């Protein structure tokens, strides 16, 4: 009985802590970018870099195509070094969810993990090597009762530009015009 | 294994207290940490001068003698959209008793977009273009909606962060209307 009473006392002491962690507004939303492995891309050809993001638990952000013109879409802007072209950014479809503040309305959102795919194309004359790309993911987060001002998450990653592999076709000596019997 | 009824009751009480306390915190606490140290309740509401959507200069003091519902909002804030039609109705209902709803748009959107949004929502109360300094004066409005209820005497009666039910908003309006009645009677 003693130990049960102690357990009850401990639970009582921890109660404020537990509730504080669950309260909206006690934590601020965050979106994080997972480390991006260096992607090798052949110069003159497009390559795709995948960026993995995570929205902190209890929050959501608008998708790239929110259902209202006034909502701020999640969008990625990248600056690339000269002669490296940033192509199409592919956003995942948002999840249509309703929230306690608007149970009859569905909002297109990202929550938890989501990935963007970015096409990168180094021009044919780019010197092989590593190149850094920098940019920002703009997002605007909400929880079940409140919304937070738009934020920009720095997005930095590298790509390794390689020479096109030369494919050597061995000629059949028998077919060579220079072959002499 | 025998269970002592006293222990069971004790554990049940602890769990109940945890649930009730947690529920209360979830309903009341959004933003309270963000606004720590900015307890304005019972204090004079910080004065401000802002431009309205129709180009007028509006000061909080212009509404002295009225109960003011001061709502910080933005076009990108979905929960704010839920409250606005309630504010429109409540302005109609309690306006004759001395309520004035005032919206402060904490937005990066253009004034035209804010006006379009407000028009779409059928807003019947003044919308002012917010400034960060005004948000800071009210404790740093770090998320929206944030609503301050100001009595007729110019003192903050209550502040609410995040979306609340219409009933709770109406209760706070009644409190604000009741606060400082003597001030109004003297006028």
């Amino acid at each position: 009985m003693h130990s049960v009473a102690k357990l009850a006392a401990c639970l009582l002491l921890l109660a404020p802590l537990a509730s504080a962690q669950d309260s909206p507004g006690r934590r601020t939303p965050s979106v994080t970018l997972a480390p991006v492995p260096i992607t090798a891309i052949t110069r003159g050809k497009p390559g795709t870099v995948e960026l993995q993001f995570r929205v902190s638990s209890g929050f959501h952000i608008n998708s790239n195509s929110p259902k209202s013109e006034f909502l701020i879409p999640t969008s990625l802007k990248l600056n690339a070094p000269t002669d490296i072209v940033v192509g199409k950014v592919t956003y995942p479809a948002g999840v249509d969810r309703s929230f306690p503040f608007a149970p009859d309305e569905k909002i297109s959102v990202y929550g938890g993990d989501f990935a963007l795919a970015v096409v990168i194309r180094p021009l044919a004359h780019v010197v092989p090597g590593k190149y850094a790309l920098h940019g920002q993911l703009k997002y605007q987060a909400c929880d079940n009762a409140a919304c937070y001002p738009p934020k920009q998450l720095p997005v930095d990653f590298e790509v390794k530009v390689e020479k096109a592999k030369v494919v050597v076709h061995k000629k059949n000596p028998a077919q060579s015009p220079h072959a002499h019997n | 294994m025998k269970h002592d009824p006293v222990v069971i009751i004790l554990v049940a009480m602890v769990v109940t207290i945890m649930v009730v306390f947690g529920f209360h915190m979830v309903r009341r606490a959004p933003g309270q940490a963000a606004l720590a140290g900015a307890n304005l309740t019972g204090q004079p509401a910080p004065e401000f001068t802002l431009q309205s959507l129709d180009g007028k200069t509006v000061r909080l003091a212009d509404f002295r003698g009225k109960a003011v519902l001061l709502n910080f909002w933005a076009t990108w804030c979905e929960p704010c959209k839920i409250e606005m039609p309630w504010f429109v109705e409540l302005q109609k209902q309690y306006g004759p008793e001395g309520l004035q709803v005032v919206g402060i748009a904490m937005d990066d959107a253009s004034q035209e977009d804010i006006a379009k949004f407000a028009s779409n929502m059928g807003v019947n109360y003044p919308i002012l273009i917010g400034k960060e300094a005004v948000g800071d004066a009210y404790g740093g409005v770090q998320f929206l909606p944030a609503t301050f209820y100001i009595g007729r005497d110019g003192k903050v009666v209550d502040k609410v962060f995040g979306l609340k039910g219409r009933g709770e908003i109406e209760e706070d309006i009644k409190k604000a209307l009741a606060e400082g009645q003597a001030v109004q009677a003297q006028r």
Side-chain angles (χ1 to χ4, degrees):
Chain A
M1 175 191 159
H2 232 86
S3 58
V4 178
K6 276 183 187 170
L7 177 67
C10 285
L11 284 171
L12 191 59
L13 287 171
L14 289 171
L17 192 64
S19 65
Q21 286 184 342
D22 289 342
S23 301
R26 289 197 170 263
R27 294 176 301 124
T28 50
S30 68
V31 176
T32 50
L33 172 66
V36 185
I38 297 175
T39 306
I41 303 174
T42 304
R43 62 183 182 179
K45 293 186 175 176
T48 302
V49 176
E50 192 166 274
L51 303 171
Q52 299 275 352
F53 295 94
R54 175 169 290 177
V55 181
S56 53
S57 161
F59 298 97
H60 60 269
I61 63 176
N62 296 317
S63 75
N64 180 247
S65 311
K67 292 176 185 287
S68 160
E69 63 175 309
F70 293 107
L71 295 180
I72 295 171
T74 295
S75 62
L76 179 70
K77 284 204 174 138
L78 286 174
N79 300 312
T82 312
D83 296 338
I84 294 194
V85 180
V86 176
K88 189 182 175 193
V89 178
T90 304
Y91 297 87
V95 177
D96 287 350
R97 281 180 57 191
S98 59
F99 292 91
F101 54 74
D104 300 329
E105 194 176 339
K106 296 226 173 192
I107 302 170
S108 175
V109 300
Y110 301 142
D113 294 345
F114 69 98
L116 306 187
V118 187
V119 174
I120 306 289
R121 189 172 63 84
L123 298 184
H125 61 266
V126 171
V127 178
K130 285 182 184 170
Y131 291 84
L133 286 92
H134 306 283
Q136 301 89 32
L137 182 81
K138 187 176 182 185
Y139 66 92
Q140 190 270 306
C142 296
D143 59 26
N144 283 346
C147 288
Y148 299 74
K151 278 191 175 178
Q152 293 199 343
L153 171 74
V155 173
D156 303 306
F157 62 90
E158 287 184 327
V159 292
K160 188 179 174 190
V161 177
E162 296 177 334
K163 282 183 183 174
K165 284 174 187 149
V166 180
V167 180
V168 180
H169 296 285
K170 277 192 175 177
K171 289 175 179 172
N172 184 346
Q175 291 177 343
S176 168
H178 304 289
H180 300 285
N181 289 327
Chain B
M1 182 184 164
K2 281 187 178 178
H3 296 287
D4 188 329
V6 177
V7 173
I8 292 170
I9 291 168
L10 182 63
V11 171
M13 279 174 63
V14 168
V15 171
T16 306
I17 289 168
M18 284 177 72
V19 169
V20 169
F21 188 76
F23 182 70
H24 175 77
M25 294 300 286
V26 165
R27 284 181 64 81
R28 294 298 298 180
Q32 283 179 1
L35 294 167
N39 190 0
L40 289 171
T41 307
Q43 303 296 315
E47 184 55 67
F48 60 76
T49 304
L50 292 170
Q51 294 291 312
S52 67
L53 279 178
D54 52 7
K56 289 178 187 159
T57 300
V58 177
R59 298 179 311 139
L60 178 62
D62 296 341
F63 306 111
R64 191 57 55 85
K66 290 188 169 188
V68 176
L69 184 160
L70 191 64
N71 174 239
F72 290 85
W73 67 282
T75 53
W76 43 258
C77 167
E78 277 288 303
C80 303
K81 255 174 76 178
I82 306 303
E83 290 183 328
M84 291 173 97
W86 298 342
F87 293 152
V88 169
E89 289 170 13
L90 292 163
Q91 177 61 59
K92 280 182 196 162
Q93 188 177 344
Y94 291 98
E97 294 179 39
L99 173 71
Q100 182 59 61
V101 178
V102 178
I104 297 185
M106 302 298 283
D107 232 298
D108 289 335
S110 69
Q111 198 162 318
E112 290 72 29
D113 281 348
I114 296 168
K116 185 180 170 189
F117 186 95
S119 170
N120 288 351
M121 299 302 295
V123 165
N124 59 352
Y125 50 85
I127 296 290
L128 312 181
I129 307 301
K131 287 182 183 166
E132 209 171 311
V134 176
D136 289 346
Y138 279 81
V141 180
Q142 294 178 21
F143 49 88
L144 302 171
T147 304
F148 293 80
Y149 296 86
I150 302 165
R152 296 178 196 270
D153 55 0
K155 289 181 180 171
V156 176
V157 173
D158 202 359
K159 58 187 190 299
V160 173
F161 303 102
L163 178 67
K164 298 296 170 193
R166 191 185 189 280
E168 283 178 75
I169 294 171
E170 195 165 357
E171 283 307 307
D172 274 326
I173 286 173
K174 287 176 183 170
K175 265 167 46 182
L177 284 167
E179 204 67 34
Q181 286 280 21
V183 174
Q184 194 196 29
Q186 285 167 12
R187 285 169 190 261

